[in-house]
Amino acid sequence: MPSPLRKVLCVGLNYRAHVAESAGREVPENPRIFARLADTIIAHGAPLWRPVNSTHFDYEGELAVVIGKPGRRIPAAHALDHVAAYTIFNDGSLRDYQKHSVTAGKNFPGTGPLGPWLVTADELPNPAALTLETRVNGERRQHAKTSDMILSVPQLIEYISAFTPLAPGDVIATGTPEGVAHARKPPPWLVPGDVVEVEISGIGILRNPVVAEPA
C-alpha cells in the first residue's frame, strides 16, 4: 500500500539556542528547508533503526504540523486556517553524513518517527504555547517552549507555500531546540537498546526503541 504522506518538509535551525550550540552557524533570515522521503517515516512504538553506515545517530524532537486545507502563497495571517492537526516528529539524523549532504543525513530508512496521534487544530489553537521535551532512557535531553521558534508556524506555512502548493496530509516539521547529541561532549549518540521519547504538551508522547538496522 502506498504511503498516504505526500510531502514531509522539515525546518532546520529554527530555535536560537540550537543555532548557538551549532558551531559556526548564524541565525537564518529565512527557513532552512529540506525534505524527508515518505519511506523514512515510522509510527509511534516502531523500531527506530540505527543505520549500519554510521554510529553518529542523533535525535531531534519537533512539533509537526499537518495540513488540512490546500493552498498556495498562503499569507501568514490566514495560515492557521490551513492546519488540520498537530503531532510529534523525531528527526533521526546521521550527523557525519549530514556534514556533506543534509538530504543523505536525514533520509536513512526507519529514522523518522511520527505520532502518536493527531490533535486537531481546534484543540490547540496556539501552536506557540506548547512545551517540548526529549528524553533518552528517561534522561531529559531537550526542553523548550515552541514560543522560542525563530519563525512561527504561520511564517513557515507562508514561506513554504510560496514555493510549493500544500495539500491535505502534507507535514511540516518545525525544527528542533537545543540539546541534541552532536552538541554535547562527548556526544551521547543513540545506540541499540536506547528508548527515545518526545513529549509535547497537549499532544502526548512519541516513544520509539532504537534497534540495529536489519542486515
Side-chain angles (χ1 to χ4, degrees):
M1 179 181 295
S3 170
L5 289 174
R6 194 178 73 105
K7 293 178 183 174
V8 181
L9 298 166
C10 304
V11 184
L13 301 176
N14 199 30
Y15 286 79
R16 292 182 187 277
H18 180 49
V19 175
E21 72 177 359
S22 302
R25 300 297 188 109
E26 296 181 355
V27 175
E29 294 183 7
N30 295 299
R32 302 289 181 87
I33 306 295
F34 59 91
R36 266 274 187 176
L37 302 178
D39 62 4
T40 70
I41 304 301
I42 59 174
H44 166 71
L48 177 57
W49 288 358
R50 201 282 295 274
V52 299
N53 307 60
S54 170
T55 60
H56 294 196
F57 191 28
D58 209 344
Y59 51 84
E60 289 192 7
E62 307 191 18
L63 173 68
V65 178
V66 182
I67 298 298
K69 177 183 175 182
R72 177 80 193 279
R73 294 182 288 275
I74 302 166
H78 302 294
L80 293 185
D81 296 339
H82 292 257
V83 176
Y86 299 94
T87 190
I88 305 171
F89 184 56
N90 179 7
D91 186 21
S93 306
L94 275 295
R95 296 300 189 187
D96 47 355
Y97 272 76
Q98 189 179 339
K99 287 179 180 178
H100 51 79
S101 171
V102 173
T103 297
K106 299 287 191 174
N107 277 288
F108 279 77
T111 59
L114 183 70
W117 40 63
L118 301 177
V119 176
T120 56
D122 62 306
E123 296 182 84
L124 290 176
N126 184 3
L130 308 176
T131 300
L132 183 154
E133 181 169 297
T134 302
R135 298 181 292 271
V136 179
N137 304 326
E139 176 191 6
R140 189 168 82 176
R141 300 283 182 84
Q142 296 182 289
H143 184 85
K145 304 290 188 182
T146 53
S147 58
D148 295 337
M149 288 182 189
I150 298 169
L151 295 164
S152 67
V153 170
Q155 289 173 308
L156 294 174
I157 291 173
E158 180 178 68
Y159 181 91
I160 290 169
S161 68
F163 74 84
T164 186
L166 292 173
D170 288 350
V171 173
I172 299 172
T174 59
T176 200
E178 74 278 11
V180 294
H182 85 91
R184 297 167 179 257
K185 298 190 183 304
W189 303 122
L190 296 175
V191 297
D194 286 344
V195 176
V196 184
E197 295 176 315
V198 184
E199 181 173 4
I200 298 181
S201 57
I203 300 178
I205 300 175
L206 173 64
R207 181 184 297 108
N208 296 86
V210 180
V211 304
E213 181 181 6

